[in-house]
Amino acid sequence: MYAGKYAGYGGVQVLIDAICQTPGEDVEFWMAGRIFEEKVREQFRRDRRIRYLGFLEKDELENRMAEADVFVNPRPPEMQENRMIFPSKILHYLSFGRPVVSTWTDGLAPEYRDLMFFPTGDGSAALADAIRRALDIPLQEREALRDRIRAFVCESRQWSLQAGRLLQWIQHEIIAQ
């Protein structure tokens, strides 16, 4: 599942190309969000496994996300818009305890490497390979990954903890100087 904006910096073109290169008739790709360009909808028709869900209200989106097996964040790391930002959708995706496939952008902390699936190269073929690897992990590994994700999200990435870290940083780096 992909939920988000369909802008160039979001990586939608790479994702569409990756979907077309992902082997297997056993998968359906759910795409949620508002599309403003007909060109994107036309590209969705390139692969019958793509199911465009449209813009979903919050409750419906949460329900769909709870049903998803894998999430994808395809932001192109070379784009200026994606440098040094943290794609907040990753924490949302991880909150469901499912595998997340993502490109590596500079705003991600090293701790995310053990929790997610990353392409081993550049381009849509590498993203397709990462998607297939995430889909194919055995049940026991999937459960272990879910446990690691939940521990990470609950123990170190809750908003209350993050806010405390921000306050500490402000006191140490801004106020103390």
Side-chain angles (χ1 to χ4, degrees):
M1 179 169 198
Y2 171 82
K5 294 183 180 176
Y6 291 90
Y9 66 86
V12 68
Q13 188 59 57
V14 173
L15 178 56
I16 292 169
D17 293 344
I19 289 170
C20 293
Q21 296 174 60
T22 301
E25 295 300 314
D26 61 332
V27 63
E28 184 174 73
F29 294 91
W30 294 352
M31 309 289 279
R34 196 170 274 136
I35 296 176
F36 295 103
E37 295 181 29
E38 183 59 33
K39 174 184 165 187
V40 174
R41 283 188 194 155
E42 289 173 16
Q43 290 180 325
F44 282 178
R45 294 183 196 107
R46 289 173 44 193
D47 193 310
R48 62 182 173 73
R49 300 172 300 165
I50 296 175
R51 186 165 173 205
Y52 176 56
L53 305 173
F55 181 79
L56 303 175
E57 295 298 326
K58 184 179 179 183
D59 289 344
E60 188 177 357
L61 178 61
E62 294 293 312
N63 290 338
R64 285 292 183 161
M65 293 176 92
E67 295 174 8
D69 292 319
V70 172
F71 295 98
V72 182
N73 174 55
R75 286 181 176 261
E78 70 280 357
M79 291 188 76
Q80 185 63 34
E81 296 91 333
N82 293 327
R83 294 184 192 262
M84 301 311 292
I85 64 157
F86 176 79
S88 59
K89 79 169 60 214
I90 287 178
L91 274 180
H92 192 194
Y93 285 171
L94 288 172
S95 72
F96 291 91
R98 304 295 189 331
V100 175
V101 175
S102 180
T103 53
W104 184 266
T105 54
D106 292 338
L108 290 171
E111 295 88 2
Y112 287 89
R113 288 204 186 271
D114 293 333
L115 300 172
M116 297 166 39
F117 290 80
F118 296 97
T120 57
D122 296 330
S124 56
L127 184 61
D129 177 63
I131 291 169
R132 194 70 246 180
R133 281 187 288 122
L135 289 166
D136 290 344
I137 61 171
L139 181 60
Q140 189 173 8
E141 287 180 41
R142 183 177 289 269
E143 289 171 352
L145 176 62
R146 180 198 61 218
D147 293 343
R148 285 196 323 271
I149 290 170
R150 288 195 174 144
F152 177 79
V153 171
C154 293
E155 294 171 13
S156 67
R157 293 300 188 261
Q158 290 180 2
W159 285 116
S160 59
L161 295 173
Q162 295 292 73
R165 287 187 189 115
L166 176 61
L167 287 173
Q168 274 186 323
W169 179 82
I170 290 170
Q171 289 173 342
H172 184 263
E173 297 294 327
I174 308 293
I175 296 172
Q177 294 187 21

